[in-house]
Amino acid sequence: MHLATRQLRPDPYQPLARALPVAERVQGLILYRLRGDMRRLLARQGCVRVLDLGCGSGCLSCRLAGAGFQMVGLDASSAMVRRAKRKSHDFGLVQGDATGLPFGRCFDAVVLSLALHEMAPATRESVWSQMLRVLRPGGLLVFADFIAGSFTSSYARAVASLIDRDERQIGRIHRPHYENFRQFMNAGGLGAWLATRAATSVLERSYWGSNIGLIAVAPA
């Protein structure tokens, strides 16, 4: 689930390649309910052709393709794309830059899952513009990412601590990742970022003590 800026090489996430099989199993458990809700939302909205932006190793694309959606996954990381290619031939894969998408206006929905927080602020703005550019009229933008808040339960605080620790670990491999995560969270996380967009909320749900959010919007 990693997007980069226009410089695609060297791949800062190459050191994670060996850990991907384990990471995918853990993340699959953590995001199982969220991904199921996303699938049902896309089906309910009549979406057919879907772009998984920052598709990482292709787990979400694979699940949605298995549910009948025409999936295209794009990621900047060569390590992630290589791993995704080993999973399935049921969806298209592109190694590319999310700030300059090689597509026209051809998608019913664009999904961005757990990638927004790792981008620099200027990159987020560029990616938003690109998502709008490739979305068909009446289409849907779907985001899954971290939520910032004042947690009242020990469970929610424990989950927030685990997320921060995980992001910090990735930051040891690629320092901007953690720096961008902290900036994103200090600015209010996913909900606050989307609140500044010209878009109508279609669905909002939270998971894991309200630390992870699923928000779908229809651009104005």
Side-chain angles (χ1 to χ4, degrees), residues 1-2 13 16 20 56-57 75 77-84:
M1 288 164 290
H2 301 290
Y13 297 107
L16 296 175
L20 286 177
S57 60
D75 203 281
S77 167
S78 57
M80 297 293 174
V81 171
R82 280 196 303 271
R83 174 71 180 172

Side-chain angles (χ1 to χ4, degrees), residues 145-205:
D145 220 301
F146 301 124
I147 301 172
S150 299
F151 303 117
T152 57
S153 72
S154 56
Y155 168 70
R157 289 192 295 272
V159 173
S161 178
L162 287 173
I163 290 171
D164 186 84
R165 186 177 68 179
D166 184 61
E167 294 298 305
R168 191 185 297 271
Q169 292 274 18
I170 299 175
R172 292 175 182 173
I173 297 170
H174 182 48
R175 183 174 178 179
H177 183 113
Y178 185 69
E179 292 173 346
N180 292 333
F181 163 75
R182 285 310 330 159
Q183 185 279 331
F184 182 71
M185 298 303 284
N186 290 338
L190 177 62
W193 189 79
L194 282 175
T196 66
R197 313 290 120 184
T200 301
S201 177
V202 174
L203 177 139
E204 295 187 26
R205 291 188 179 173

Side-chain angles (χ1 to χ4, degrees), residues 4 7-14 76 78 174:
Q7 182 62 42
L8 297 181
R9 297 183 182 229
D11 180 0
Y13 297 107
Q14 179 61 43
S78 57
H174 182 48

Side-chain angles (χ1 to χ4, degrees), residues 72-104:
V72 176
L74 180 142
D75 203 281
S77 167
S78 57
M80 297 293 174
V81 171
R82 280 196 303 271
R83 174 71 180 172
K85 285 180 177 178
R86 295 171 59 185
K87 284 190 169 59
S88 171
H89 299 290
D90 293 336
F91 57 92
L93 276 168
V94 178
Q95 183 183 353
D97 182 359
T99 65
L101 295 177
F103 311 111

Side-chain angles (χ1 to χ4, degrees), residues 10 26 35 41 61 65 111-112 115 120 122 129 148 153 161 178 198 205:
V26 173
R35 288 172 175 172
L41 167 69
S61 286
V111 174
L112 186 59
S129 296
S153 72
S161 178
Y178 185 69
R205 291 188 179 173

